[in-house]
Amino acid sequence: MKRVTILSVLCVMIFCASPVVAEDWQMAKGSNLSFSSSFQGDAFSGSFTKFTPQIRFNPKNLEQSRFDVVIYLASANTQNIERDDTLKTADFFDVTKTATARFTATQFQALGNRKYLAKGQLSLRGISKPVNLKFTWQQNKSAVLIGEAAINRLDFNVGIGDWKDISLLPNTVKISTKLVLIRKVPAKP
C-alpha cells in the first residue's frame, strides 16, 4: 500500500512540474481582419479577404507565445471598386512591389480578465514599426481571439502623394481582427 501511495505522489509531482507549452492554433471559418478610416469625413471600412495567421499562444506561457500574420494586400476589399483599385496603387499598398504585409509578435503581457497585449512589429511597404495589438482570448476546445490596433498610415508611406493630406484622409487607421482558432494537429512523421 505504501508503494502505491509513493508512486501516486511521484506521478502527481511529475505532472505538476511539467512545463506548460504554448499551443499552435490554425484559423477556422468565421475569422476576419478588417480596417476602418474615413475620407472627407465619410466613414468606410474594409477587410483583407486573404491572410494567414500562425498563432502559438497559451495564457499560462506567454514567453513561448508567438504571432506571425501574413496579409495579402491585393485582397483589400471595401466593397467599392474604385477605392479598392486605388488601394493597390503606388500611392497606397503598391501591390506590384510589395504583395504582403506582416505582423509578428513575440512579447506578450497579461492585462487581466482574459485581456492581453501583443507587442509586435508591422512590416508594410518595406518599413517596419512597432504596433501593439490589444486582444481578448477565450479558450475551450477551440479559441477566439478578438483584437484591435491603430496604425499611422503615413509611418508606412500608405496614402502618399495627393492622399497625404490628413484633413481628407486621417493618419490613424483602426485595425480589428477576430480569429476563430482550432488546435493545430501536428504533422505525422
Side-chain angles (χ1 to χ4, degrees), residues 56-113:
R56 174 174 286 164
F57 188 76
N58 187 322
K60 295 177 182 175
N61 190 345
L62 298 178
E63 297 79 27
Q64 286 187 1
S65 296
R66 177 173 170 73
F67 292 175
D68 188 351
V69 183
V70 176
I71 304 145
Y72 296 87
L73 299 172
S75 76
N77 182 356
T78 64
Q79 299 188 3
N80 178 306
I81 293 171
E82 184 179 346
R83 181 171 37 232
D84 295 346
D85 287 344
T86 301
L87 288 175
K88 295 174 187 174
T89 68
D91 284 344
F92 284 89
F93 295 142
D94 199 6
V95 300
T96 59
K97 289 186 180 174
T98 52
T100 61
R102 185 177 211 154
F103 175 75
T104 57
T106 57
Q107 295 180 337
F108 296 85
Q109 179 181 348
L111 302 176
N113 200 25

Side-chain angles (χ1 to χ4, degrees), residues 33-72:
L33 177 60
S34 59
F35 55 92
S36 60
S37 187
S38 64
F39 177 66
Q40 295 181 325
D42 290 330
F44 70 89
S45 61
S47 64
F48 293 99
T49 59
K50 187 175 179 188
F51 63 102
T52 55
Q54 292 181 5
I55 305 296
R56 174 174 286 164
F57 188 76
N58 187 322
K60 295 177 182 175
N61 190 345
L62 298 178
E63 297 79 27
Q64 286 187 1
S65 296
R66 177 173 170 73
F67 292 175
D68 188 351
V69 183
V70 176
I71 304 145
Y72 296 87

Side-chain angles (χ1 to χ4, degrees), residues 108-174:
F108 296 85
Q109 179 181 348
L111 302 176
N113 200 25
R114 296 184 186 173
K115 295 179 183 173
Y116 301 89
L117 178 68
K119 298 177 182 180
Q121 288 281 321
L122 177 63
S123 297
L124 174 59
R125 290 186 59 134
I127 300 168
S128 293
K129 298 276 184 179
V131 171
N132 291 333
L133 175 74
K134 290 184 180 177
F135 65 96
T136 59
W137 180 266
Q138 297 177 351
Q139 179 181 337
N140 290 312
K141 291 181 181 179
S142 61
V144 177
L145 178 154
I146 298 174
E148 290 186 346
I151 64 166
N152 292 324
R153 64 180 178 84
L154 294 174
D155 289 351
F156 299 94
N157 290 331
V158 173
I160 55 175
D162 293 340
W163 304 100
K164 203 169 186 175
D165 184 351
I166 60 172
S167 68
L168 297 175
L169 186 62
N171 192 24
T172 302
V173 177
K174 182 180 171 187

